[in-house]
């Protein structure tokens, strides 16, 4: 009888094999779909271990079995990174329009708002980390695959300019499938706009810490995400310019399992640090503190 | 001329008819002068009709025409004394980007551009005009050099996109593109960028932060290739023509979005029909545009360039939230 129970258990832990890319903006790597309904239990998409959702949340949505860092929405990230009650959101009123009259875009925007509870793919504002004031931008993959259109570009640019004006350290948490195709050239130009804004911010001596989270691809990877004075990634975070599938088609070779992971990128000199989610706040506070003008005697 | 595109077929057929009639008349000693004149007139008329109504998808095919002039094809008609300089001093010399010194009139300038090949062999050597990080880092080096010596920078944009390969990723394709944009934003010298063929995605914008951005009449510029968009949108890359219409990729569209300042006219039927005329048209516009910004201070150039890109984007404010 006990034997039967155990066998059943093993059956639950089987990973689904389908890696459907139904929602692919650019080539964001897709995790296998969760099979457990939202609520009590959660199954790790990496190792299949099942946890109580509450336990998982206490563990900052890092799988206790394999250390897999699950994707976070902007509100969760802000709550676990900034000092409690310190965050003030900026430009929350900015919403995307459909400047090209692109087929299906307007409808999809509404869909994404309902699905994610967000107004676009980035939340920006001011807050404090361990008592130190900072300007932050936090992207959410669950809104339109974190894609960058005019609103994302504008909000990022505004927070960069704000940080420059008020001499605040800037922290951007990136996650994105890339530029938002539905805004075509206007999306592409957001890469230029945000990079140019960072050029001016750097010119003033501003500190910019870029935190890359899973996944960060295409136009976001190839603009503000890679322009930090210090670039940090979460363990296992996938990031790069071109997607794995496109590259495999181009070079007609299978890529290594760990291709474009944070660890892979670290090995190739593209990163300063890989920091566990549990250590992130302390590390950011430490780095900001070392650039604090108060420290100058 | 070989290499006519599908939408030009009516012209090809009419031309063939005229030629046949001419030959037949010569052989038989019959005078078809009146007939031929009438057909020639019809041909001219048809030419106007077709070339004055080139659709976005047709422009995409013109921009990708295998005989379309490349950066190196056009340089001799615009500049003199071009000296190509090589290498990023870190890894290698990416032939998908060419650059060097030249004179524009009397004035020394730095010229940088994407470079496609003209045949398979050259295309393999030049990665079909899709740069690796070392290409962008070569461009960065040449831009720093231009800044040091106070030379204006002219870039030519013509790429399907940055090279999507594992080696490019390992060497930091993202960083190379991002850094190029940041560096260009802060250049103390005048920068003019000209999209001459296909301006594809991050690989294109990496050379695209100019005080002025100009486009050849049939060039296209977009965030993703219409083929890529079609395969994501409709799971069918062959619907690229449809995507080209939806994506607003033509010079006229970009002028309206204030992404570019000016459209440079091409010879009838496209740049591939007359390299010299194309080059000279670029030279004329460049002369005027450089004349306008050539004397500006470093500070003005930087702030003007920032303002140009700063204002690009369309969005709305949702008044429900009381927010700044």
């Amino acid at each position: 009888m006990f034997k039967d129970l155990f066998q059943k258990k093993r059956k639950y832990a089987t990973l689904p094999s389908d890696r459907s890319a139904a929602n692919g903006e650019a080539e964001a790597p897709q995790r296998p779909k969760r099979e457990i309904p939202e609520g009590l239990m959660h199954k790790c998409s990496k190792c299949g271990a099942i946890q109580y959702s509450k336990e998982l949340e206490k563990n900052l949505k890092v799988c206790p079995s394999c250390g897999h860092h699950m994707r976070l929405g902007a509100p969760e990230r802000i709550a676990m990174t900034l000092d409690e009650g310190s965050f003030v959101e900026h430009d929350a009123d900015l919403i995307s329009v459909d400047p090209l009259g692109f087929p299906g875009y307007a409808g999809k925007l509404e869909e994404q708002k309902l699905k994610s509870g967000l107004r676009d793919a980035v939340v920006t504002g001011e807050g404090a980390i361990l008592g130190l004031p900072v300007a932050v931008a936090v992207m959410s993959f669950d809104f339109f695959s974190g894609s960058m259109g005019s609103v994302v570009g504008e909000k990022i640019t505004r927070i960069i300019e704000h940080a420059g004006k008020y001499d605040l350290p800037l922290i951007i948490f990136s996650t994105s499938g890339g530029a938002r195709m539905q805004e075509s050239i206007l999306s592409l130009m957001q890469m230029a706009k945000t990079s140019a804004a960072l050029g001016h911010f750097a010119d003033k001596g501003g500190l910019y810490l870029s935190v890359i989270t899973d996944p960060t691809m295409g136009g976001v990877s190839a603009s503000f995400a890679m322009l930090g004075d210090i670039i940090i990634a979460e363990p296992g975070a996938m990031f790069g310019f071109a997607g794995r599938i496109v590259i495999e088609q181009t070079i007609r070779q299978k890529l290594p399992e760990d291709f474009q992971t944070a660890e892979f990128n670290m090995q190739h000199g593209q990163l300063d640090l890989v920091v566990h989610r549990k250590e992130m706040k302390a590390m950011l506070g430490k780095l900001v503190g070392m650039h604090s003008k108060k420290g100058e005697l | 001329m070989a290499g006519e595109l599908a939408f030009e077929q009516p012209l090809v057929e009419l031309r063939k008819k005229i030629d046949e009639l001419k030959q037949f008349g010569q052989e038989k000693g019959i005078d078809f002068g009146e007939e031929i004149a009438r057909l020639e007139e019809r041909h001219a008329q048809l030419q106007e009709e077709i070339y004055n109504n080139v659709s976005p998808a047709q422009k995409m095919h013109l921009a990708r025409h295998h005989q379309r002039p490349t950066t190196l094809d056009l340089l001799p008609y615009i500049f003199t004394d071009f000296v190509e300089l090589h290498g990023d001093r870190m890894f290698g010399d990416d032939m998908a980007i060419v650059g060097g010194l030249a004179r524009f009139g009397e004035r020394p300038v730095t010229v940088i551009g994407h470079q496609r090949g003209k045949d398979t062999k050259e295309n393999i050597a030049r990665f079909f005009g899709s740069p690796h990080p070392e290409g962008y880092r070569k461009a960065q080096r040449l831009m720093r050099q231009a800044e040091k010596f106070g030379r204006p920078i002219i870039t030519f944009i013509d790429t399907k996109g940055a090279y999507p390969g594992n080696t490019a990723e390992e060497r930091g394709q993202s960083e190379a593109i991002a850094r190029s944009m940041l560096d260009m934003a802060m250049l103390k010298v005048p920068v003019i960028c000209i999209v001459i063929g296909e301006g594809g995605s991050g690989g294109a914008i990496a050379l695209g932060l100019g005080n002025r951005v100009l486009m050849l009449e049939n060039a296209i510029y977009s965030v993703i290739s219409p083929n890529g968009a079609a395969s994501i949108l409709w799971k069918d890359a062959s619907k690229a023509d449809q995507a080209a219409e939806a994506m607003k990729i033509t010079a006229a569209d970009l002028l309206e979005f204030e992404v570019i300042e000016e459209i440079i006219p091409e010879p009838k039927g496209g740049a591939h029909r007359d390299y010299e005329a194309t080059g000279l048209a670029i030279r004329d516009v460049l002369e005027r545009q450089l004349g306008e910004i050539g004397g500006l201070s470093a500070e003005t150039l930087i702030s003007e360039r920032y303002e140009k890109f700063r204002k690009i984007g369309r969005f709305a404010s949702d008044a429900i939230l009381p927010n700044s």
Side-chain angles (χ1 to χ4, degrees), chain A residues 60 72-87 128 138 281:
Chain A
L60 307 178
L72 295 178
E76 290 171 296
R77 178 83 63 186
I78 288 165
M80 70 176 68
T81 310
L82 297 180
D83 297 349
E84 207 180 332
S86 71
F87 182 67
V138 184
K281 182 173 180 170

Side-chain angles (χ1 to χ4, degrees), chain A residues 24 93-95 100 102 119 150 154 157 161 179 184 188 190 193 195 197 221-223 240-242 250 260 268 270, chain B residues 164 166 169-170 172 174 178 181 185 201 223-224 229 232-233 247-248 302 306 309-310 312-318:
Chain A
D93 57 323
L94 296 195
I95 49 169
L100 276 64
F102 199 90
R119 308 184 134 226
S150 296
E154 179 69 18
T157 304
E161 288 176 339
S184 196
L188 185 67
Q190 304 310 310
K193 184 160 114 181
S195 301
S221 172
S223 60
F241 180 66
T250 309
Q260 289 180 328
H268 288 93
Q270 303 304 317
Chain B
N166 55 331
E169 295 293 319
E170 286 166 7
S174 289
M181 291 189 293
S201 193
V223 70
I224 180 172
I232 293 172
L233 272 177
M247 289 172 69
K248 308 270 192 273
I302 293 170
Y306 184 59
F309 288 91
R310 178 67 189 85
I312 300 178
R314 301 257 172 113
F315 49 86
S317 167
D318 184 333

Side-chain angles (χ1 to χ4, degrees), chain B residues 179-299:
Chain B
R179 184 66 52 189
S180 291
M181 291 189 293
L182 188 148
D183 282 1
M184 285 189 88
M186 306 310 285
L187 286 168
K188 297 188 178 92
V189 291
V191 184
I192 294 183
C193 309
I194 310 168
V195 187
I196 59 168
E198 195 170 1
S201 193
I205 186 71
L207 297 184
L209 275 81
N211 294 84
R212 298 287 187 274
V213 181
L214 318 172
M215 254 175 109
L216 277 177
E217 186 183 348
N218 294 311
I220 59 170
Y221 199 0
S222 70
V223 70
I224 180 172
S225 76
N227 313 60
S231 69
I232 293 172
L233 272 177
W234 302 301
K235 312 272 172 260
D236 185 356
S238 67
K239 287 186 178 160
D241 281 14
Q242 235 170 297
E245 305 282 340
M247 289 172 69
K248 308 270 192 273
I249 58 175
T250 68
D253 292 322
L254 270 65
L255 190 66
E256 203 188 305
F257 283 129
E258 296 183 56
V259 169
I260 64 166
E261 277 70 36
E262 186 169 348
I263 300 171
I264 303 172
E266 290 184 26
K268 251 191 184 53
H272 61 282
R273 296 190 180 267
D274 192 341
Y275 288 11
E276 186 178 356
T278 306
L280 295 180
I282 293 174
R283 195 187 67 185
D284 286 349
V285 174
L286 194 56
E287 194 166 4
R288 178 162 39 77
Q289 292 283 5
L290 198 55
E292 284 175 21
I293 60 169
L296 298 178
S297 70
E299 202 177 296

Side-chain angles (χ1 to χ4, degrees), chain A residues 95-276:
Chain A
I95 49 169
S96 291
V97 293
D98 179 15
L100 276 64
F102 199 90
Y105 184 38
K108 194 160 182 204
L109 279 171
E110 289 312 310
E111 216 175 89
Q112 295 293 317
K113 281 182 196 169
L114 285 175
K115 189 192 89 180
S116 65
L118 297 165
R119 308 184 134 226
D120 214 296
V122 71
V123 174
T124 59
E126 278 173 86
I129 292 181
L130 305 176
L132 300 162
V134 290
V136 290
V138 184
M139 299 188 74
S140 265
F141 197 76
D142 55 358
F143 187 96
F144 229 121
S145 304
S147 57
M148 172 161 66
S150 296
V151 167
V152 171
E154 179 69 18
K155 286 175 83 168
I156 297 267
T157 304
R158 286 189 189 183
I159 199 68
I160 296 167
E161 288 176 339
H162 182 85
K165 191 171 170 189
Y166 295 97
D167 203 11
L168 291 169
L170 172 70
I171 302 172
I172 302 179
F173 287 87
S174 296
T175 176
S176 176
R180 192 172 296 168
M181 183 180 67
Q182 289 83 349
E183 292 185 28
S184 196
I185 195 72
L186 297 177
S187 296
L188 185 67
M189 292 298 140
Q190 304 310 310
M191 294 171 65
K193 184 160 114 181
T194 53
S195 301
L198 284 170
H200 286 258
F201 181 63
D203 214 35
K204 288 184 180 171
L207 168 69
Y208 167 33
L209 306 178
S210 172
V211 185
I212 293 174
T213 68
D214 183 66
T216 299
M217 305 299 294
V220 167
S221 172
S223 60
F224 55 85
M226 284 307 291
L227 290 173
D229 294 298
I230 296 171
I231 304 177
I232 303 167
E234 284 196 328
M238 301 287 290
F239 78 93
F241 180 66
R244 184 187 191 98
I245 297 166
V246 174
I247 296 173
E248 285 185 337
Q249 281 165 356
T250 309
I251 62 170
R252 296 193 180 87
Q253 276 172 42
K254 281 299 254 183
L255 291 164
E257 189 72 11
D258 70 341
F259 185 67
Q260 289 180 328
T261 58
E263 295 72 15
F264 175 95
N265 275 301
M266 180 77 147
Q267 213 175 18
H268 288 93
Q270 303 304 317
L271 275 177
D272 289 290
L273 294 159
V274 177
V275 175
H276 194 283

Side-chain angles (χ1 to χ4, degrees), chain B residues 115-183:
Chain B
Q115 183 62 40
R116 291 178 291 112
K118 299 292 271 194
D119 52 41
T120 308
K121 195 179 160 201
E122 197 193 351
N123 259 323
I124 288 167
R126 296 193 185 279
F127 288 91
F128 292 81
S130 288
H132 279 69
E134 50 272 25
Y136 295 113
R137 289 175 184 138
K138 170 165 72 177
Q140 289 164 25
R141 182 178 76 81
L142 295 178
M143 288 182 199
R144 281 194 298 273
Q145 192 187 72
E147 189 173 47
K148 177 179 173 186
F149 295 104
R151 286 193 291 267
I153 297 167
I154 321 295
T155 72
F156 292 81
I157 294 170
D158 185 19
T159 182
K160 288 186 192 310
Y163 187 72
N166 55 331
T167 49
E169 295 293 319
E170 286 166 7
R171 298 201 286 272
Q173 188 73 290
S174 289
E175 194 275 345
I177 292 171
R179 184 66 52 189
S180 291
M181 291 189 293
L182 188 148
D183 282 1

Side-chain angles (χ1 to χ4, degrees), chain B residues 23 27 33 35-36 39 47 56 66 88 90 93 113 127 129 131 139 161 172 188 206 209 249 258 280 306 321:
Chain B
Q23 207 187 351
E27 279 169 16
E35 280 290 297
I36 288 166
L39 286 174
Q47 210 171 27
H66 65 280
D88 68 345
M90 292 187 265
D93 184 36
F127 288 91
K188 297 188 178 92
L209 275 81
I249 58 175
E258 296 183 56
L280 295 180
Y306 184 59
L321 280 183

